[in-house]
Amino acid sequence: MEAHALREQGWTISAIARHLGHDRKTVRAYLSGARVPDRRVRREPTVAEPFLEYCRLRLGEDPHLWASTLHDELVGLGFAGSYPSLTAAIRTHGLRPHCEPCQASRGRDAAVITHPPGEETQWDWVELPDPPTAWGLGAHAHLLVGSLAHSGRWRAALAESEDFPHLIEALDRVTRKLGGLTRGWRFDRMATVCSPSSGTVSAAFAQAAKHYGVRVDLCPPRHGNRKGVVEKANHSAAQRWWRTVADDASVAAAERSLDELCVRLDQRTRRRGGEKTTVAALAAAERLRPVPAAAFPAELSVVRTVSAQALVSLRGNRYSVPPGMGGAQVVVRIRLGSDQVRVVTAAGTTVALHRRAPDGAGAVIRDEGHVRALETRVLAAFTDAPRCRGKVRRPVGEAALAEADRLRGEGSGHLAVGTAERVVIDLSTYAALVPAAARATVHGTEQSVNGGGDQ
């Protein structure tokens, strides 16, 4: 349009080309009508009409037939076009039919899903790669994201794993951050919520849903687009927050920074009914139900290694255990809704019970009995003697010499172990085993032989 307007004002084609930053041939083609905006001139030969029906039939028989295989067949039938022209024709004419199991949400119409206020919260796990080493989470950190489907407000919580207790704890935390409960929770078919194959909600999660008074809605298999609101929140969490988390940031500090980002994102503008509003205003109008005073009583279990100071770390705090367990693996258990921390050995024996400190407080919780026992053990092993000298002469002692003689079989009558002397031929032992009659017969025979010789 600008090229035509400038031409009407008397501009030359060269001046218009310099002004618009395009080639003169391009400007001339648009002014003459040889080129139309948003309509590209095909440079590849298209599939001739006789071959279109064959392509449609073949792709109807096998929707997954490779275009290269189809091109080979067409060449044998006299097709002179190139492979790119064939693939372009398949896309242009829609020759490849839609396969619902393989492309659940692609190639078909998509309905607009309405989300009334306070109706649905969408949930999803996000695996975040390469967490800071100090977190001790391995290759991935786990983030549970919850989003209000109507307003788009979302909050998230970090977790050590995606098992059932950590899921319940993260659900409770995120729900309180969102400000309340909707009437339903929507999940994909995660194994901690339901059976992925049948879609039956597990008994444990059914109890949790009953505790919070919500219904559980599951996405159909391979239809994750049913929870598109939380999917967009996942993208924002990964790109706007996780990419900037510092290596020296603690778990608590990282989650606080995420909460600050979520509050800023609540000021995003939205339009409802032609009027401009914000995410925060829409979320305030959802009228969420209050969250129960206590979380569902699931029990978290995490494995920890006891330090040399007889301490185990848990979420930014350290708790004492009896001395003598340094380097051992113990299980730290927390029941949601309780303020106690229980330390259990691999055999199931409880060795410590503490009051839980707030996460990330940096507190050291030590039992007085553990302190006294550790001090006693350390003082008992304490010595002020100097270190042993390295350059000294210490010859072999009498006991070691006697043992060496025994091994060599010298002076003790014992045979050396592992030598040929273990195999001994003792004729006296053989004679003791021969019966007395046999010895007499042998002895008499010897006398007769000797007597005959004398005669």
Side-chain angles (χ1 to χ4, degrees), residues 3 17 33 119 122 157 203 309 331 339 362 364 382 392 412:
E119 183 66 22
Q122 299 178 1
Q309 294 80 24
V331 179
D339 59 350
V364 179
F382 177 76
V392 295
S412 59

Side-chain angles (χ1 to χ4, degrees), residues 241-329:
W241 169 69
W242 182 248
R243 295 178 70 93
T244 62
V245 174
D247 290 336
D248 58 349
S250 64
V251 176
E255 192 163 321
R256 283 195 301 269
S257 67
L258 178 58
D259 293 338
E260 294 172 358
L261 172 63
C262 292
V263 173
R264 293 198 305 270
L265 293 179
D266 285 349
Q267 305 307 316
R268 292 170 293 168
T269 58
R270 293 290 184 268
R271 286 193 176 274
R272 294 292 188 272
E275 297 183 359
K276 188 176 181 180
T277 183
T278 63
V279 172
L282 293 173
E286 293 209 44
R287 298 181 180 179
L288 303 178
R289 296 182 294 110
V291 187
F296 180 73
E299 188 175 70
L300 282 81
S301 298
V302 293
V303 179
R304 291 292 185 268
T305 302
V306 181
S307 67
Q309 294 80 24
L311 298 172
V312 293
S313 60
L314 179 67
R315 299 187 176 182
N317 302 302
R318 292 187 295 172
Y319 301 89
S320 67
V321 296
M325 300 180 62
Q329 297 283 332

Side-chain angles (χ1 to χ4, degrees), residues 144-220:
L144 182 71
V145 180
S147 180
L148 300 177
H150 172 71
S151 62
R153 169 183 281 179
W154 63 275
R155 297 293 186 268
L158 285 165
E160 292 190 34
S161 67
E162 299 180 8
D163 59 9
F164 177 76
H166 285 91
L167 171 64
I168 296 299
E169 183 192 31
L171 284 171
D172 186 84
R173 292 169 57 195
V174 175
T175 300
R176 297 179 191 278
K177 291 181 180 181
L178 289 172
L181 292 164
T182 54
R183 286 181 284 275
W185 285 351
R186 179 171 293 279
F187 300 88
D188 56 15
R189 299 203 168 195
M190 57 179 66
T192 49
V193 175
C194 66
S195 170
S197 58
S198 65
T200 304
V201 178
S202 64
F205 196 83
Q207 293 295 325
K210 182 179 179 180
H211 175 81
Y212 290 100
V214 296
R215 71 174 187 274
V216 179
D217 299 322
L218 302 176
C219 294

Side-chain angles (χ1 to χ4, degrees), residues 48-70:
E49 185 66 27
F51 299 103
L52 289 178
E53 185 62 22
Y54 180 83
C55 294
R56 185 177 290 108
L57 293 174
R58 288 292 290 122
L59 293 175
E61 297 169 352
D62 184 4
H64 303 287
L65 181 68
W66 282 20
S68 58
T69 304
L70 182 59

Side-chain angles (χ1 to χ4, degrees), residues 22-42:
H22 289 284
D23 188 81
R24 287 177 298 174
K25 294 188 294 294
T26 302
V27 175
R28 186 179 292 107
Y30 277 108
L31 292 177
S32 63
R35 183 176 299 180
V36 180
D38 295 334
R39 187 181 301 171
R40 296 181 62 85
V41 178
R42 296 191 57 85

